[in-house]
């Protein structure tokens, strides 16, 4: 089985980290391929960058040379999953939805701990659109930017742990979702501090994608995610297609 894991930003180092995290939880025989878009922002932290990333990721997947069995969109609260589902018949899994749906198996209410406060509405909207918001206790911002997550590991752990503890003690969350693909590897520290299950979106998305492939299931091509109608499309200059 081969799964493409698409980073939503252009930082190749982050793609490598996300892909390594995905491969670590993948079943034997599952190959993870990290995808970095050719254009877009070095980190995605707002609506403009998110919409740009949606197009960039779709172009990167369309121009990938090779077969694959599923695609994971590794951006928390980002746009574009629906477009990928129109373009592809294989399963497309978004890490935001994978984390939240997994959390609901583990506790009554969950909280998401993410990066900057400006990304909170994007995550809330994605959860609402996916029908996963009813059992969301809160979406908390750590105040760290995406790129800052890798600058000082100790500070990152301390900040994410502090917000997670508040989510459990103040918001009554029973499960924590790590709200950024770049937070992979922080599960143990958060779990130890809070005493609750901690879900990493990338890891959850890999197991969901693997399950769908093994079940022989793909994206429905009836109505909502039917293929785009044939027409001329003018592609971005940076595209390889």
């Amino acid at each position: 089985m081969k799964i493409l894991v698409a980073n939503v930003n252009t930082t190749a180092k982050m793609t490598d980290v996300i892909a390594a995290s995905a491969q670590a939880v993948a079943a034997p025989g599952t190959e993870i391929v990290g995808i970095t878009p050719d254009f877009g922002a070095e980190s995605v932290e707002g609506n403009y960058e998110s919409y740009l990333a949606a197009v960039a990721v779709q172009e990167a997947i369309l121009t990938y040379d090779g077969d694959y069995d599923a695609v994971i969109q590794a951006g928390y609260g980002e746009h574009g999953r629906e477009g990928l589902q129109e373009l592809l018949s294989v399963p497309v899994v978004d890490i935001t939805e994978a984390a939240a749906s997994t959390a609901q198996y583990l506790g009554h209410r969950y909280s998401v701990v993410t990066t900057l406060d400006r990304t909170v509405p994007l995550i809330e909207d994605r959860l609402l659109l996916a029908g996963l918001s009813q059992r969301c206790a809160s979406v908390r911002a750590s105040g760290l930017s995406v790129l800052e997550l890798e600058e000082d590991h100790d500070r990152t752990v301390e900040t994410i742990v502090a917000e997670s503890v508040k989510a459990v003690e103040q918001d009554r969350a029973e499960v924590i979702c790590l709200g950024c693909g770049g937070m992979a590897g922080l599960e143990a520290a958060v779990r130890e501090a809070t005493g609750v299950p901690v879900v990493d979106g990338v890891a959850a998305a890999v197991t969901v994608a693997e399950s769908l492939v093994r079940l022989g299931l793909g994206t429905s091509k009836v109505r909502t995610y039917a293929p785009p109608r044939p027409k001329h499309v003018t592609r971005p200059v940076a595209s390889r297609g």
Side-chain angles (χ1 to χ4, degrees):
M1 184 188 309
K2 180 187 288 186
I3 300 176
L4 306 186
V5 179
N7 183 9
V8 297
N9 64 51
T10 59
T11 303
K13 181 180 178 181
M14 191 167 295
T15 302
D16 294 340
V17 170
I18 292 170
S21 173
Q23 190 67 68
V25 300
T30 297
E31 178 186 1
I32 299 295
V33 178
I35 301 294
T36 305
D38 285 340
F39 60 93
E42 62 180 347
S43 63
V44 179
E45 295 164 324
N47 281 286
Y48 167 70
E49 295 165 352
S50 180
Y51 279 112
L52 184 61
V55 176
V57 167
Q58 290 173 70
E59 288 297 299
I61 299 300
L62 280 176
T63 55
Y64 176 78
D65 184 17
D67 297 328
Y68 51 90
D69 301 291
V71 171
I72 292 173
Q73 179 173 287
Y76 220 94
E78 309 306 340
H79 303 91
R81 185 262 297 161
E82 298 87 348
L84 284 171
Q85 286 184 291
E86 285 189 3
L87 294 170
L88 307 174
S89 296
V90 301
V92 177
V93 182
D94 171 76
I95 66 170
T96 317
E97 298 169 7
S101 58
T102 300
Q104 294 186 152
Y105 287 109
L106 306 173
H108 181 62
R109 291 173 69 77
Y110 67 92
S111 284
V112 177
V113 177
T114 189
T115 52
L116 300 178
D117 181 66
R118 65 177 295 159
T119 67
V120 171
L122 277 73
I123 294 172
E124 291 176 336
D125 285 351
R126 172 55 60 185
L127 294 174
L128 181 63
L129 184 65
L132 295 165
S133 62
Q134 188 171 1
R135 287 167 61 183
C136 180
S138 62
V139 179
R140 283 185 165 269
S142 66
L144 297 175
S145 70
V146 172
L147 298 180
E148 284 178 321
L149 293 173
E150 296 184 349
E151 290 180 357
D152 186 334
H153 180 72
D154 291 341
R155 178 193 178 202
T156 296
V157 172
E158 180 181 354
T159 304
I160 301 303
V161 163
E163 287 303 320
S164 298
V165 169
K166 291 177 184 177
V168 173
E169 295 181 351
Q170 299 178 20
D171 306 331
R172 311 298 291 174
E174 298 170 17
V175 183
I176 296 295
C177 293
L178 299 177
C180 177
M183 291 182 183
L186 301 180
E187 300 97 313
V190 175
R191 184 169 56 248
E192 181 179 354
T194 61
V196 304
V198 180
V199 181
D200 168 55
V202 174
V206 170
T207 57
V208 171
E210 287 180 324
S211 297
L212 293 173
V213 174
R214 290 197 182 96
L215 289 169
L217 299 173
T219 300
S220 173
K221 296 288 100 180
V222 176
R223 199 180 186 191
T224 306
Y225 303 126
R229 296 182 63 193
K231 63 186 70 174
H232 176 72
V233 175
T234 303
R235 294 192 129 67
V237 174
S239 172
R240 293 168 293 180

